[in-house]
Amino acid sequence: MKSTLILCYGYVALHAPEDQILSRIDSDILRSISKHFNTKDLTMKLSLIQSVGLIAKAISTVVRNQGYMFVRKQELMGVMMDFIKAEPTDAMRTPVRHLVMTTCANLINLEPALTENENFEMLRTCLNGVYGLPPVNTPDKDRGKDEEALEPQQREVLYKDTFNALQELLRNILARDLSPDGLQTVFKHIEEWLSSGQDHERERAMNTTAHILEFYFNNLHVKNMVTFHNLGSLLGRLAPRCTDPNPLVRRAAIDCIYTLLYIQLRYEGFSLDYKDDSVERLITLRESMDNPDHSVLYKTCSELAKIISKRLPQQQLNTLIFMLFEGLVDSQSNCSRASSVLLNTLLKSRGAGLQDLVSEMLEVLHIRLQMISEEQVKVSVAQSILILATQHLQTVINTLISYPLPFDSWSCEMWIALGADSKLASQIMEMLMEKLNVMAPYVDKKESMMRAGLTKVATSHPLAMTCALKEMMLNGQSQEAVVSLFPQLFSSLLVRLGSSVGVTLPKDINSFGTNRKSPTKLSAGFDVCGVAVEALRILLARAQLDDVVKPLDQEGAWDKMKDPQQHITGVTLLARAMARHAGPRLPAIVECLCPCLNNIYECQRVTITAFFSELLNHHVVTELMMMDVLMNNMMERISDPCCTVRMLAVRGLGNIAVGSPEKVNKYAKELLAAMSSGMEEKDDPGKHITLEAMSGLSKVLLYLDKKNVQLLVVYIFMKIKPFLESENDEIRCASIMLLGNLSKFGSGEPVFKDQIHNVLVSLLLHLSDPNLQVVKACKYAMRVCAPVVGSELITTMFQNHLHEDKSLHYGEFINDLTKYIIQDFPGMLNFYHITVIQFFKSNWAEVRAGAAMFIGFLLGNLPEELFSHINMGSVTKGLVMLLQDPDPVVRVKAAEAMGHFH
């Protein structure tokens, strides 16, 4: 009875005289029925909803355009929303929803207008209450057992009425503000359902959208100076749904786009009955959307993008592009792929006009890549980056280079994408190399206020460019570009490697993370030199030089290149592998590297000189006619301000004797001058240049004609002598070897014979040198010098006993030797014993012991008539000093020598 009475109030209001109704609505009608708003009874609830709707209709009929303010409108709307919220979310068994929305459709027409928040709350409640329902054909038994099940026909009618009521409500909301903003207000509540994971929810949302767009179009009256400013955003949401897995969604999406483009044409001033050929093609496309074949769908998608591109104003393109970026992560893989097809088609046709947005677009793609799981969509994003690069190359490069280091995996993917197009990859690589070659690779910074000294700190741009080159070359499709630019790439990366050794990362390099806000932990493998080494390795692999890479891997050359102490060794191994397995590529590389030998950074000059130096060790240099170029470069580097560069230049000149011995006499003058100069080097703290000069000269002498050396023999000999007693084992060894190699040029020369006697004592005593290599060098030198000494006995003795790998009984050997010296050179006894006494002060105990032994045997074997040749005072004084030597062996040998005084 109450329900009937409440319903009667509504009908009384609807049919009451117009001049009497407004004054009674609040006091007589609403006051009577509002006390029942909290009812749980369904019948009463339905009567209340209908009654409020009839009252709203009555007021609307009466007031028309009088500006009447219905003060209880918001309250009644709130009650209606509560009724919907009270309904079960997973079932529809009552007409509550459609009656509430019919009532709200009537209330919405009354003033005052709802606030933005009220409007938002109402739309969200209604859409959630309707779209979230299970499909109409879901069996009732699955919805709960509290109430009687509905017949299928009843349920179908109930659903249909509800959706019709929702559409009426949306039409009435839209009618209050029939503008682009009004349309957006309604659509923003529907759009989130368009990408739902449930087919039926997407279908409902798309059908609603099609309905409101058609209503908008049919009731549109375009005013001057108004633009359809949200066309791009609407298309961006709807276009990807054209490949939705649900065919009904696909068809509705095409219908929506068809209507949207005609709405745009109306805004452009075309008449209501105007037909556009390109838009009309959508009708044909609509039919092809029934074909579920992926290739057909994506082809249709591409056609759709062309139609949109033709009709879309430039100022709307930006919004559409960014909406499609969001579509790349759509929950439906079909639609995310469609977004990528639409995006790339639009970028190809219209991307050239988006200069100002390139950086922002790349930033968004970078973020999207982190969320995309669909491999095909990732491939399409790579294509998007390529398209942008073909249109705005400099901007794309500048943007990607500025990304935080180390590049995260998504930044790396973007660089890898740029390697896919050979022509474009070549352009980018050339740009990066050009900048790499001119930008400062590092800056010198003071280590701290407390400590002196400077640290090399990498500059970020060249480091980023090296990383970029490395990533691009990881793309297999970059091979053609890599091969065509191989000499330049190899040279640039080798120079970059040289200026990366011992260089630290900037302290602030990890202050920016992936999103440029949160710090990221630096990868343990990320270091300045490591990046250059890795890039070089990838370059060789991409250029299919596996034969070069293999020995470098086996010899640990990559790690050596990174180590400041072993860098030169690493570069030497690289040059060796290139000379052996990639000879034909070397002339172009040498041509690229030559100008870099004048670079201001000595670390770069060191690396290039080390590379060139080792090349000269191989005959390929002569075969490919590079000798003159390399020879000239080495000669220039001999006067380099950097000590290490000078040392490597001298090494390179010596290597000519190994790589191209037939060229030694051609360059005899230059080689001898350079080596002689190297042996006199003053600014050579570690005597490295001296060592290389002597080692190199030893190699060169093996192939020089006598005429080229003869005049210099004594001059060189004099330079060698000081090094025979060097504390540096390597220098002692090299000087003794050189002395031996020089001997063949002195045979038959009296002056040279004297020189040999001058150094013979030193060689004899160093036969007991603590360093085994020095001992071997002494044996070699004495054996080859023997013919020059002038004694057949001594010559035979040296050649029989002094073999590098044979052991020598030193005491017996010296004993016999002193006998031959007494016999063959009595006139030189004074010289010999004075020379030996000088070695009593030698740095090595073994040599001091040997000197004592030599004097002892000399005295023991000396006939009485020759004692006048010996200064016994000096001998005695020297031996007495040795008797106090810290080394016991020396003391014993001195005592034995004293025993011969009788």
Side-chain angles (χ1 to χ4, degrees):
M1 192 171 74
K2 283 182 188 177
S3 299
T4 306
L5 191 57
I6 287 167
L7 199 53
C8 284
Y9 273 116
Y11 279 105
V12 166
L14 184 64
H15 296 290
E18 291 187 6
D19 59 340
Q20 295 180 37
I21 185 65
L22 293 181
S23 60
R24 289 181 166 81
I25 287 290
D26 198 36
S27 57
D28 296 339
I29 299 176
L30 284 175
R31 187 168 58 82
S32 300
I33 68 171
S34 61
K35 61 184 76 168
H36 300 289
F37 282 160
N38 289 326
T39 183
K40 302 291 183 193
D41 181 79
L42 178 62
T43 309
M44 190 177 287
K45 192 185 287 186
L46 294 173
S47 293
L48 281 165
I49 296 166
Q50 284 180 281
S51 189
V52 171
L54 291 167
I55 292 166
K57 208 170 184 180
I59 296 171
S60 185
T61 305
V62 173
V63 298
R64 292 182 182 90
N65 294 318
Q66 292 176 27
Y68 172 78
M69 293 298 219
F70 184 34
V71 293
R72 297 193 68 176
K73 174 180 172 178
Q74 279 86 346
E75 176 199 346
L76 295 174
M77 290 288 265
V79 171
M80 295 301 109
M81 292 304 102
D82 288 342
F83 285 155
I84 282 193
K85 288 173 185 174
E87 287 293 286
T89 55
D90 61 344
M92 182 159 66
R93 302 186 199 93
T94 72
V96 167
R97 285 180 177 85
H98 90 77
L99 290 175
V100 164
M101 285 187 286
T102 302
T103 296
C104 286
N106 289 325
L107 282 169
I108 207 80
N109 294 327
L110 303 178
E111 296 296 337
L114 295 179
T115 65
E116 191 176 340
N117 285 341
E118 288 166 343
N119 207 29
F120 178 87
E121 185 59 31
M122 178 195 66
L123 280 168
R124 190 178 68 170
T125 303
C126 292
L127 291 172
N128 286 351
V130 176
Y131 288 166
L133 289 167
V136 65
N137 55 2
T138 305
D140 246 358
K141 59 182 170 44
D142 294 342
R143 302 190 192 171
K145 299 173 183 174
D146 297 339
E147 299 180 41
E148 290 183 20
L150 291 172
E151 292 295 324
Q153 194 174 355
Q154 289 176 299
R155 190 163 59 245
E156 202 169 311
V157 169
L158 201 52
Y159 266 75
K160 188 175 179 182
D161 288 347
T162 303
F163 285 111
N164 287 340
L166 175 63
Q167 289 179 349
E168 183 190 4
L169 171 62
L170 295 174
R171 285 198 304 271
N172 285 5
I173 293 171
L174 194 51
R176 288 183 68 85
D177 182 8
L178 207 62
S179 69
D181 287 334
L183 179 60
Q184 195 62 36
T185 301
V186 175
F187 181 73
K188 72 181 177 186
H189 295 279
I190 302 171
E191 64 179 328
E192 63 185 271
W193 296 91
L194 291 173
S195 52
S196 162
Q198 300 292 323
D199 277 12
H200 65 279
E201 291 178 0
R202 297 197 307 281
E203 186 183 331
R204 289 166 185 170
M206 190 56 79
N207 286 333
T208 308
T209 304
H211 181 83
I212 63 167
L213 286 175
E214 191 175 355
F215 174 79
Y216 188 89
F217 177 65
N218 291 332
N219 292 276
L220 181 61
H221 299 287
V222 178
K223 297 172 187 172
N224 291 335
M225 303 305 289
V226 175
T227 58
F228 191 26
H229 62 76
N230 50 337
L231 174 65
S233 64
L234 291 165
L235 286 171
R237 285 281 180 257
L238 298 170
R241 306 255 70 82
C242 291
T243 60
D244 196 279
N246 183 335
L248 295 173
V249 174
R250 295 202 293 269
R251 293 176 74 86
I254 285 280
D255 290 344
C256 287
I257 292 169
Y258 180 85
T259 307
L260 271 173
L261 293 179
Y262 270 114
I263 292 171
Q264 171 60 27
L265 286 165
R266 292 291 310 281
Y267 274 104
E268 288 177 15
F270 289 92
S271 62
L272 189 60
D273 58 353
Y274 172 75
K275 296 293 179 190
D276 182 271
D277 291 343
S278 60
V279 180
E280 289 300 312
R281 278 175 56 210
L282 288 171
I283 295 170
T284 314
L285 286 183
R286 189 176 186 268
E287 303 309 315
S288 61
M289 285 296 173
D290 288 338
N291 190 333
D293 183 87
H294 283 200
S295 61
V296 174
L297 284 179
Y298 297 133
K299 188 179 177 186
T300 306
C301 224
S302 185
E303 287 297 306
L304 172 64
K306 288 173 186 171
I307 294 168
I308 291 173
S309 177
K310 190 172 180 182
R311 291 266 42 107
L312 189 74
Q314 183 66 29
Q315 65 269 27
Q316 296 283 316
L317 181 62
N318 307 357
T319 317
L320 173 55
I321 294 285
F322 283 97
M323 285 293 175
L324 291 173
F325 285 152
E326 289 186 34
L328 294 172
V329 290
D330 195 282
S331 62
Q332 302 298 315
S333 60
N334 264 20
C335 298
S336 62
R337 291 174 193 166
S339 294
S340 66
V341 173
L342 289 160
L343 180 63
N344 287 345
T345 309
L346 284 166
L347 285 176
K348 277 179 188 171
S349 59
R350 305 278 293 274
L354 297 172
Q355 173 68 36
D356 296 341
L357 285 172
V358 173
S359 292
E360 194 180 343
M361 287 195 285
L362 289 169
E363 191 67 49
V364 173
L365 284 173
H366 179 254
I367 294 164
R368 287 283 165 267
L369 272 171
Q370 300 167 42
M371 309 175 197
I372 295 170
S373 53
E374 192 76 22
E375 201 52 47
Q376 195 174 325
V377 179
K378 281 189 176 181
V379 171
S380 285
V381 168
Q383 191 64 27
S384 306
I385 295 163
L386 267 181
I387 294 166
L388 286 171
T390 56
Q391 297 164 338
H392 311 282
L393 184 55
Q394 190 66 63
T395 310
V396 169
I397 299 306
N398 291 349
T399 302
L400 295 185
I401 281 293
S402 69
Y403 280 13
L405 292 170
F407 288 145
D408 56 42
S409 60
W410 305 288
S411 301
C412 292
E413 280 184 41
M414 295 172 89
W415 278 112
I416 291 169
L418 293 175
D421 180 290
S422 185
K423 187 179 175 184
L424 189 69
S426 293
Q427 278 182 274
I428 296 170
M429 287 173 180
E430 284 177 344
M431 285 170 67
L432 292 176
M433 286 190 290
E434 188 181 335
K435 291 184 178 179
L436 260 183
N437 294 341
V438 296
M439 294 180 91
Y442 59 82
V443 289
D444 288 311
K445 289 193 176 173
K446 206 169 188 310
E447 282 186 22
S448 70
M449 297 298 287
M450 305 300 292
R451 285 186 306 191
L454 296 171
T455 303
K456 291 178 182 176
V457 179
T459 46
S460 58
H461 267 65
L463 181 55
M465 288 169 192
T466 313
C467 293
L469 280 172
K470 180 193 80 172
E471 298 302 333
M472 284 180 71
M473 291 188 294
L474 283 173
N475 190 323
Q477 291 167 289
S478 70
Q479 185 168 328
E480 190 183 329
V482 167
V483 170
S484 67
L485 290 172
F486 181 78
Q488 297 93 313
L489 284 165
F490 184 92
S491 307
S492 283
L493 289 173
L494 185 64
V495 172
R496 173 67 194 165
L497 169 61
S499 47
S500 302
V501 181
V503 176
T504 61
L505 288 166
K507 284 182 182 168
D508 58 350
I509 197 163
N510 60 344
S511 61
F512 297 110
T514 303
N515 59 6
R516 303 186 180 227
K517 288 177 186 171
S518 60
T520 57
K521 193 173 181 182
L522 274 177
S523 157
F526 187 72
D527 70 274
V528 181
C529 201
V531 171
V533 165
E534 200 178 338
L536 194 55
R537 192 183 187 286
I538 292 165
L539 168 70
L540 293 170
R542 182 62 63 225
Q544 296 185 305
L545 292 175
D546 295 338
D547 288 344
V548 175
V549 175
K550 191 176 176 182
L552 294 174
D553 288 346
Q554 291 169 345
E555 293 161 330
W558 307 110
D559 287 335
K560 288 185 173 77
M561 286 181 216
K562 291 188 280 185
D563 181 354
Q565 305 306 315
Q566 300 184 81
H567 173 69
I568 290 171
T569 306
V571 173
T572 300
L573 291 170
L574 173 65
R576 185 176 303 165
M578 289 295 288
R580 287 175 178 171
H581 306 291
R585 303 196 187 231
L586 288 172
I589 290 172
V590 169
E591 188 180 342
C592 290
L593 285 174
C594 281
C596 305
L597 276 174
N598 295 311
N599 286 4
I600 58 168
Y601 298 98
E602 66 177 40
C603 51
Q604 295 176 348
R605 301 199 304 277
V606 165
T607 301
I608 300 165
T609 311
F611 187 79
F612 282 0
S613 172
E614 176 58 25
L615 291 186
L616 286 163
N617 228 344
H618 303 271
H619 199 257
V620 70
V621 165
T622 297
E623 290 166 11
L624 297 170
M625 295 184 289
M626 294 185 284
M627 177 58 81
D628 284 347
V629 173
L630 291 174
M631 175 73 190
N632 292 338
N633 276 297
M634 292 299 100
M635 291 303 294
E636 284 177 20
R637 287 308 107 204
I638 280 179
S639 56
D640 195 278
C642 172
C643 188
T644 307
V645 173
R646 297 199 300 277
M647 177 272 288
L648 289 165
V650 172
R651 178 184 293 179
L653 292 171
N655 285 345
I656 291 174
V658 179
S660 305
E662 72 279 12
K663 296 286 182 184
V664 167
N665 282 293
K666 177 183 175 183
Y667 301 111
K669 189 178 175 183
E670 293 91 336
L671 291 173
L672 287 169
M675 302 299 175
S676 300
S677 169
M679 287 164 67
E680 290 177 330
E681 181 70 60
K682 299 288 186 289
D683 180 18
D684 184 18
K687 294 295 176 192
H688 300 298
I689 300 174
T690 302
L691 180 60
E692 288 296 344
M694 289 194 292
S695 301
L697 193 49
S698 272
K699 291 189 266 188
V700 166
L701 286 173
L702 295 175
Y703 302 100
L704 275 175
D705 292 340
K706 194 167 184 178
K707 62 176 189 220
N708 287 324
V709 188
Q710 205 143 16
L711 296 173
L712 294 169
V713 171
V714 175
Y715 171 74
I716 297 170
F717 205 100
M718 299 299 288
K719 287 185 181 298
I720 297 171
K721 278 178 68 177
F723 299 115
L724 296 175
E725 302 307 318
S726 169
E727 290 184 22
N728 182 313
D729 294 349
E730 285 184 291
I731 288 179
R732 271 199 326 285
C733 189
S735 63
I736 294 165
M737 289 296 291
L738 177 55
L739 193 145
N741 290 328
L742 198 61
S743 65
K744 72 172 183 177
F745 297 97
S747 57
E749 296 291 326
V751 181
F752 188 68
K753 179 180 177 182
D754 293 342
Q755 295 301 326
I756 291 295
H757 279 282
N758 271 333
V759 297
L760 193 56
V761 170
S762 182
L763 297 178
L764 284 166
L765 295 180
H766 279 285
L767 281 171
S768 56
D769 194 281
N771 183 286
L772 188 60
Q773 295 306 314
V774 173
V775 173
K776 286 185 176 183
C778 285
K779 288 179 176 180
Y780 164 75
M782 289 169 72
R783 210 171 60 248
V784 296
C785 289
V788 185
V789 173
S791 164
E792 285 186 22
L793 289 168
I794 292 176
T795 299
T796 306
M797 183 187 181
F798 283 5
Q799 291 178 341
N800 286 344
H801 297 288
L802 298 179
H803 290 280
E804 283 88 334
D805 299 319
K806 270 190 184 178
S807 59
L808 177 71
H809 192 290
Y810 189 65
E812 285 181 11
F813 179 79
I814 295 295
N815 188 20
D816 290 344
L817 181 64
T818 54
K819 290 175 185 175
Y820 298 151
I821 290 173
I822 293 166
Q823 180 183 319
D824 289 351
F825 305 110
M828 296 186 72
L829 288 173
N830 185 52
F831 164 77
Y832 270 102
H833 88 275
I834 293 297
T835 307
V836 172
I837 289 171
Q838 290 170 6
F839 285 90
F840 286 179
K841 295 178 182 177
S842 170
N843 293 327
W844 299 276
E846 294 85 347
V847 173
R848 296 197 300 276
M853 193 188 300
F854 190 107
I855 286 292
F857 285 129
L858 187 67
L859 292 173
N861 293 319
L862 195 67
E864 200 170 322
E865 67 270 16
L866 294 178
F867 260 85
S868 60
H869 291 273
I870 306 295
N871 184 337
M872 291 307 290
S874 298
V875 172
T876 307
K877 188 178 176 184
L879 289 173
V880 168
M881 180 185 75
L882 288 184
L883 287 172
Q884 297 163 38
D885 196 274
D887 188 283
V889 176
V890 175
R891 296 199 298 272
V892 168
K893 294 300 176 189
E896 287 175 357
M898 294 285 276
H900 291 289
F901 270 45
H902 69 278

